[in-house]
């Protein structure tokens, strides 16, 4: 009996990863991500899945980022009752990310209703914080390299992928086929995360391609961040840094602590971490010491370098303070969260700075800022951008094209079929061509909704 994969997300786009594997009447969903970015993609979140959630038998997560896990609360709300299999680190981060995602959606809907800028009356959240909390009860944790059987005849194991705490590649064995999902692969030279482990042999491979068409520049995030912060401090400005609460926030905190210790930026430059989610995510680094490069002293320095802003009142109070200072706030692509209020408040002053960290999905405010747009829309209002915009090219937590190819070459034997996923179509097709021309493997960029054999 055949094994089929339906590409329900993460196909010709870098968001919404969902891969449904079917064999002998059993359905396993690998990743369960939200679509982000362009409105036509976000609208997919509101459409019913082509498979009824109650007929999905289990979910396996590669990692906790919302474009891989953020649809779970809605899946559970709509009838999914199976287990969600994940590493302990992924479960711990999902316990932070998913309720926060529900809370932000409730806040955004309430704000839209108060100010009347939504086309929907009333505006509703996709799911609530309580929906997210309910979905956490379905989690079942499994450590790296431990093979488990979610269903009779199905074997699954997690292999470290770098990228963030708990991130894994997934090897799924069923119907005589070995299917390897790369998940998001980290960099071999990441500032805080260990490199991905070597991949196991597989018949079929799904490889991510976020940076499938580009190389990371030489140098480190320390070398890029130091002159930017020194420059904004010298002119008394305020640096607003949209950060991903998991991974990128900790990288930036570690970088700032290191730069202060080295005397490369003013030791007294105030730094504020205005994201309860990022604050709690930093604790995960303490709880999982074997999953990253940082020593206990470096983790403590990272946690102490910033003033933690917990409440909305404390966040609003920052607006009354004068520069220079640095504000790190989620979300990393400025799609929601407290960073929007800081951007609305500070973007119009030429003394200030907006520092973008890592990949900005097309269609997001972060991508528009990176493209040099001088006006962005926040909470139904057009906000003039006079602040200096700096995009850190070295802060990405994803492997670049060359690092992806190096990981592929470490496969013990060529797979029979490669599906290039989780990338914009240009990046995915560029990686496909490299795989075909340099490795001489069969590779395809699947379309959204397509079904292919494993």
């Amino acid at each position: 009996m055949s094994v089929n994969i339906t590409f329900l997300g993460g196909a010709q786009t870098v968001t919404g990863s969902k891969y449904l594997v079917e064999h002998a009447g059993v359905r396993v969903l690998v990743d369960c991500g939200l679509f982000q970015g362009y409105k036509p993609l976000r609208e997919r979140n509101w459409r019913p899945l082509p498979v009824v959630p109650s007929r999905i038998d289990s979910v396996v997560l590669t990692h906790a980022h919302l474009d891989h896990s953020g649809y779970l609360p809605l899946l559970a709300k709509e009838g999914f009752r199976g287990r969600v299999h994940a590493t302990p680190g992924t479960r711990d981060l999902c316990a932070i990310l998913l309720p926060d995602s529900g809370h932000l959606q409730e806040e955004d809907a309430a704000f839209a209703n108060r100010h009347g800028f939504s086309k929907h009356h009333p505006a509703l959240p996709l799911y609530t914080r309580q929906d997210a909390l309910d979905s956490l009860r379905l989690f079942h944790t499994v450590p790296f390299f431990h093979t488990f059987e979610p269903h009779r005849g199905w074997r699954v194991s997690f292999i470290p992928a770098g990228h963030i705490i708990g991130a894994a590649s997934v090897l799924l064995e069923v119907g005589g086929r070995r299917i390897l999902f790369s998940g998001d692969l980290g960099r071999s030279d990441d500032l805080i995360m260990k490199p991905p482990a070597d991949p196991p042999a597989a018949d079929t491979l799904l490889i991510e391609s976020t940076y499938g068409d580009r190389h990371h520049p030489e140098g480190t995030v320390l070398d890029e961040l130091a002159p930017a912060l020194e420059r904004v401090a010298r002119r008394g400005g305020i640096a607003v840094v949209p950060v991903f609460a998991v991974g990128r926030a900790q990288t930036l905190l570690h970088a700032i602590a290191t730069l202060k210790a080295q005397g490369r930026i003013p030791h007294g430059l105030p730094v504020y971490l205005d994201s309860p989610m990022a604050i709690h995510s930093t604790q995960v680094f303490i709880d999982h010491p074997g999953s990253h490069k940082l020593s206990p002293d470096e983790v403590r320095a990272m946690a102490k370098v910033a003033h933690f802003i917990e409440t909305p009142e404390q966040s609003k109070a920052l607006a009354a303070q004068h520069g220079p200072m640095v504000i790190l706030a989620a979300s990393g692509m400025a799609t929601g969260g407290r960073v929007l209020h800081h951007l609305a408040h500070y973007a119009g002053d030429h003394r200030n700075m907006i520092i973008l960290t890592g990949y900005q999905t097309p269609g997001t405010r972060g991508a528009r800022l990176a493209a040099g747009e001088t006006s962005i829309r926040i909470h139904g209002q057009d906000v003039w951008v006079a602040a200096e915009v700096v995009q850190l090219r070295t802060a990405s937590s994803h492997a670049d094209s060359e690092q992806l190819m190096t990981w592929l070459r470490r496969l013990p034997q060529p797979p029979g079929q490669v599906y290039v996923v989780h990338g914009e179509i240009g990046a995915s097709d560029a990686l496909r061509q490299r795989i075909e021309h340099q490795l001489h493997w069969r590779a395809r960029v699947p379309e959204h909704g397509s079904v292919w054999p494993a």
Side-chain angles (χ1 to χ4, degrees), residues 75-109:
L75 194 77
K77 180 180 178 181
E78 294 186 343
F80 172 71
R81 293 296 179 266
R83 279 184 166 182
V84 177
H85 302 278
T87 65
T90 293
R91 195 277 173 196
D92 289 352
L93 289 175
C94 281
I96 299 167
L97 281 166
L98 296 181
D100 186 80
S101 174
H103 173 68
L104 288 179
Q105 291 181 60
E106 289 182 279
E107 278 194 339
D108 289 345

Side-chain angles (χ1 to χ4, degrees), residues 264-301:
R264 296 170 67 181
I265 60 175
H267 190 270
L269 178 64
V271 179
Y272 298 92
L273 181 60
D274 187 13
S275 169
M277 184 167 54
I279 294 168
H280 299 147
S281 299
T282 302
Q283 176 64 38
V284 177
F285 275 74
I286 298 171
D287 297 338
H288 296 269
S291 297
H292 55 79
K293 294 179 178 177
L294 301 183
S295 69
D297 285 345
E298 288 173 322
V299 173
R300 283 190 288 270

Side-chain angles (χ1 to χ4, degrees), residues 2 39 44 87 95 97 103 122-123 134 168 209 211 213 255 262 285 316 334 344 373 380 394 396 409 427 441:
S2 64
K39 186 176 181 181
R44 289 181 183 174
T87 65
L97 281 166
H103 173 68
D134 292 341
S209 56
Y211 283 87
D213 61 347
Q262 294 175 350
F285 275 74
K316 292 172 185 175
E373 292 192 18
T394 55
S396 173
R409 290 188 179 99
W441 299 351

Side-chain angles (χ1 to χ4, degrees), residues 3-10 16-22 27-33 51 56-63 67-69 71-72 75 80 83-85 148 150 154-158 168-174 179-184 206 421-422:
V3 182
N4 292 325
I5 305 172
T6 304
F7 294 83
L8 300 177
S17 286
K18 299 183 197 73
Y19 310 106
L20 186 69
V21 183
E22 298 180 78
R27 298 177 178 88
V28 173
L29 187 64
V30 178
D31 278 345
C32 191
V51 56
I56 296 172
D57 297 287
S58 61
V59 173
V60 179
L61 291 184
T62 61
H63 67 290
D67 57 335
H68 294 259
S69 74
Y71 193 86
L72 268 174
L75 194 77
F80 172 71
R83 279 184 166 182
V84 177
H85 302 278
F148 63 99
W154 294 67
R155 291 163 55 86
V156 178
S157 54
F158 292 118
S169 299
V170 170
L171 179 64
L172 192 158
E173 301 172 80
V174 63
I179 311 164
L180 180 61
F181 300 80
S182 74
D184 284 0
L206 280 73
V421 297
H422 195 75

Side-chain angles (χ1 to χ4, degrees), residues 375-416:
S375 178
I376 55 173
R377 199 157 181 83
I378 297 176
H379 294 146
Q381 301 294 320
D382 291 319
V383 175
W384 173 250
V385 180
E388 179 185 0
V389 176
V390 173
Q391 185 169 22
L392 301 181
R393 304 287 178 180
T394 55
S396 173
S397 60
H398 282 267
D400 68 6
S401 177
E402 198 58 48
Q403 291 165 340
L404 290 170
M405 292 296 293
T406 298
W407 186 85
L408 289 169
R409 290 188 179 99
R410 289 180 178 148
L411 281 158
Q413 61 194 49

Side-chain angles (χ1 to χ4, degrees), residues 141-318:
T141 61
V142 183
F144 287 117
F145 300 116
H146 178 81
T147 300
F148 63 99
E149 295 189 9
H151 311 285
R152 177 178 289 183
W154 294 67
R155 291 163 55 86
V156 178
S157 54
F158 292 118
I159 299 98
H163 188 55
I164 64 169
I165 297 290
S169 299
V170 170
L171 179 64
L172 192 158
E173 301 172 80
V174 63
R177 307 293 294 168
R178 290 169 60 90
I179 311 164
L180 180 61
F181 300 80
S182 74
D184 284 0
L185 293 172
R187 302 172 59 159
S188 56
D189 57 349
D190 193 273
L191 188 65
I192 64 174
M193 293 302 301
K194 293 180 178 180
D198 287 349
D203 303 302
T204 300
L205 169 66
L206 280 73
I207 178 73
E208 70 118 324
S209 56
T210 309
Y211 283 87
D213 61 347
R214 71 198 85 173
H215 300 286
H216 296 316
E218 297 293 328
T220 69
V221 66
L222 299 173
D223 299 324
E224 270 195 298
L225 188 61
L229 292 184
E230 193 280 330
R231 194 161 63 246
V232 75
R234 188 170 61 244
R235 63 185 183 231
I238 293 164
V240 177
V241 189
V243 289
F244 302 93
V246 175
R248 210 63 47 80
Q250 291 75 35
T251 296
L252 268 291
L253 290 174
H254 174 63
I256 291 169
T258 302
L259 292 173
K260 284 191 172 187
Q262 294 175 350
R264 296 170 67 181
I265 60 175
H267 190 270
L269 178 64
V271 179
Y272 298 92
L273 181 60
D274 187 13
S275 169
M277 184 167 54
I279 294 168
H280 299 147
S281 299
T282 302
Q283 176 64 38
V284 177
F285 275 74
I286 298 171
D287 297 338
H288 296 269
S291 297
H292 55 79
K293 294 179 178 177
L294 301 183
S295 69
D297 285 345
E298 288 173 322
V299 173
R300 283 190 288 270
M302 175 182 73
K304 291 179 179 177
V305 75
H307 303 282
F308 288 172
I309 304 298
E310 292 270 14
T311 68
E313 292 71 27
Q314 290 173 327
S315 180
K316 292 172 185 175
L318 287 177

